[in-house]
């Protein structure tokens, strides 16, 4: 299995509190992603990173920020959690192959976040 | 229009059946394509990459049609253990960036 871990695995928090989810990889892969998964919506990209301090928004980035200060860690922060951010969050990593073509993505086990 | 679209199903098929899933994508510049499998409450896992020439892995065959911008997955001789959600994934990369866009998934239920 790819070396990717998410923490925490489960979290319950109150509306209005800040929350940070951590994704840690040991593969030295270039790309890292944060997705959320909700019934009927599949996996939706929140933010992704293509290098240290290089990030870009996905389709559902409002209310989320990210940081990547070193290759192995990608943090997702909910500045002020809302009930609509209750979801399962997945981190993924992918590398580069021949001619810098991206390789397939590997996923962490997910973080189940409940905002009450 | 969504960037990647799949029929959500569910597809209910008997053991031994052949089932096909299709996926369409909107960005004609997309470069790489994959099928993932996701079991209930688990993380998605790579099933197979999709190459322009088509590729096969045991009972699974993937095809890419760039002109029509769709990807297909064929599963032959379905097993109970094939029951899962199948996700189509499109990679849009250029320069330094690489976005992986997922379809909403197609649920397969193989019945005994």
């Amino acid at each position: 299995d790819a070396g990717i871990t998410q923490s925490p695995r489960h979290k319950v928090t109150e509306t209005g509190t800040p929350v940070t989810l951590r994704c840690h990889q040991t593969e030295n892969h270039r790309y890292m992603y944060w997705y959320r998964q909700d019934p009927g919506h599949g996996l939706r990209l929140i933010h992704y990173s293509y290098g240290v301090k290089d990030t870009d928004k996905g389709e559902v980035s409002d209310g989320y920020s990210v940081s990547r200060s070193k290759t192995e860690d990608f943090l997702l922060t909910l500045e002020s959690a809302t009930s609509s951010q209750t979801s399962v969050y997945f981190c993924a990593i992918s590398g580069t192959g021949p001619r810098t073509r991206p390789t397939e993505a590997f996923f962490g086990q997910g973080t189940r976040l409940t905002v009450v | 229009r969504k960037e990647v679209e799949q029929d959500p199903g569910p597809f209910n098929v008997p053991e031994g059946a052949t089932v096909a899933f299709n996926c369409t994508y909107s960005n004609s510049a997309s470069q790489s394509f994959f099928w993932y499998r996701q079991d209930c409450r688990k993380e998605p896992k790579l099933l197979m990459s999709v190459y322009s020439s088509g590729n096969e892995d045991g009972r699974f065959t993937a095809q890419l049609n760039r002109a029509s911008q769709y990807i297909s997955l064929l599963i032959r001789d379905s097993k109970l253990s094939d029951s899962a959600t199948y996700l189509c994934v499109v990679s849009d990369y250029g320069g330094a960036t690489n976005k992986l866009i997922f379809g909403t998934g197609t649920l397969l239920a193989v019945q005994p």
Side-chain angles (χ1 to χ4, degrees):
Chain A
D1 284 348
I4 174 171
T5 55
Q6 291 183 231
S7 59
R9 294 290 313 282
H10 301 271
K11 186 170 182 67
V12 179
T13 192
E14 292 187 349
T15 298
T17 59
V19 177
T20 295
L21 308 182
R22 181 182 185 232
C23 178
H24 178 77
Q25 62 148 328
T26 57
E27 304 295 322
N28 200 35
H29 279 350
R30 177 178 183 175
Y31 303 103
M32 298 186 76
Y33 310 84
W34 277 107
Y35 292 88
R36 60 177 289 175
Q37 188 170 37
D38 306 287
H41 291 279
L43 280 154
R44 292 182 292 175
L45 182 63
I46 304 171
H47 284 278
Y48 70 103
S49 170
Y50 48 97
V52 174
K53 296 186 180 174
D54 291 321
T55 65
D56 202 356
K57 295 179 180 180
E59 64 177 304
V60 290
S61 59
D62 287 348
Y64 302 94
S65 62
V66 290
S67 67
R68 191 170 178 198
S69 59
K70 45 187 179 178
T71 300
E72 55 266 37
D73 288 324
F74 192 33
L75 304 180
L76 177 70
T77 298
L78 291 67
E79 300 291 346
S80 177
T82 67
S83 59
S84 64
Q85 293 176 311
T86 292
S87 186
V88 178
Y89 291 84
F90 286 104
C91 175
I93 61 174
S94 70
T96 53
R99 298 192 302 274
T100 71
R101 201 176 187 89
T103 59
E104 66 271 22
F106 299 95
F107 282 80
Q109 292 180 296
T111 296
R112 192 167 296 275
L113 176 68
T114 302
V115 183
V116 298
Chain B
R1 183 187 170 188
K2 289 186 178 180
E3 292 187 60
V4 180
E5 296 202 60
Q6 292 182 253
D7 182 343
F11 282 54
N12 295 299
V13 302
E15 273 188 288
T18 295
V19 61
F21 305 135
N22 289 326
C23 168
T24 58
Y25 60 96
S26 60
N27 185 356
S28 59
S30 297
Q31 302 279 355
S32 299
F33 309 89
F34 308 93
W35 282 102
Y36 277 71
R37 171 194 169 127
Q38 186 175 26
D39 294 295
C40 188
R41 302 173 79 85
K42 299 280 192 180
E43 73 273 23
K45 293 190 176 180
L46 179 70
L47 180 66
M48 58 198 304
S49 302
V50 186
Y51 303 119
S52 297
S53 54
N55 46 303
E56 188 174 308
D57 183 2
R59 297 182 293 108
F60 299 85
T61 301
Q63 298 275 356
L64 167 64
N65 184 320
R66 284 191 183 272
S68 301
Q69 293 179 214
Y70 80 80
I71 309 146
S72 64
L73 176 68
L74 184 76
I75 304 175
R76 291 181 298 278
D77 189 23
S78 299
K79 313 290 186 191
L80 293 175
S81 58
D82 293 334
S83 297
T85 296
Y86 291 83
L87 300 159
C88 169
V89 184
V90 173
S91 167
D92 291 341
Y93 74 92
T97 64
N98 174 38
K99 255 174 146 177
L100 288 174
I101 306 298
F102 282 74
T104 51
T106 299
L107 179 61
L108 172 65
V110 181
Q111 314 289 342

